[in-house]
Amino acid sequence: MNRPSKIGIIGLGNLGASLANNLLAHGVDLVVRDLNEAAVSDFVARGARRADSPRAMAAACEFVITCLPSPAASAAVVEGPGGLLEGLAPGKVWLEMSTTDAAEIRRLAAKVSATGAIAMECPVSGGCHRAASG
């Protein structure tokens, strides 16, 4: 099975942490970022790598998953200083799983597409237990 060389997750709350745990359990080369340093340190202690910024994560990973709590948080991570847009390039994929709305996803996806990267909306259903089980 071909696996991407690196997957990044920004947002290690309930859902993001469950996804990250599942990816680590399956041997994925994982890069993580969150404002909660304790959450990041926990994943680093178990084999993940830390990203210093969303830009650094986008530059280092084929796929970047965002699991953020609001449209404002998603916008800041994607288009803010040091954001994903500064590190995305053709062949990269942004997977948006945040709590946001369709209009905001379309707006940010247009900016991501302008970099040559692919933007995908990935609505979440099933809760954290389903994310943890894969």
Side-chain angles (χ1 to χ4, degrees), residues 95-128:
L95 302 163
E96 174 63 299
M97 301 179 93
S98 300
T99 301
T100 190
D101 61 65
E104 182 65 356
I105 289 173
R106 283 192 298 273
R107 186 185 76 77
L108 293 174
K111 292 183 173 208
V112 167
S113 294
T115 71
I118 297 168
M120 297 180 74
E121 178 184 10
C122 302
V124 179
S125 63
C128 296

Side-chain angles (χ1 to χ4, degrees), residues 58 61-66 78 84-85 87-96 105 108-122:
C61 297
E62 285 181 71
F63 292 84
V64 175
I65 300 166
T66 49
V78 173
L84 291 178
L85 290 175
L88 291 172
K92 307 279 183 160
V93 179
W94 170 51
L95 302 163
E96 174 63 299
I105 289 173
L108 293 174
K111 292 183 173 208
V112 167
S113 294
T115 71
I118 297 168
M120 297 180 74
E121 178 184 10
C122 302

Side-chain angles (χ1 to χ4, degrees), residues 3 6 10 18 22 34-36 38 41 44-46 53 59 63 65-67 84 106 110 113 125:
R3 288 195 174 133
K6 287 185 195 164
I10 300 175
S18 294
N22 193 24
D34 195 278
L35 296 177
N36 178 346
S41 294
V44 170
R46 294 186 289 127
S53 67
F63 292 84
I65 300 166
T66 49
C67 257
L84 291 178
R106 283 192 298 273
S113 294
S125 63

Side-chain angles (χ1 to χ4, degrees), residues 48-61:
R49 293 185 223 176
R50 169 189 328 266
D52 292 330
S53 67
R55 184 211 60 77
M57 180 180 284
C61 297

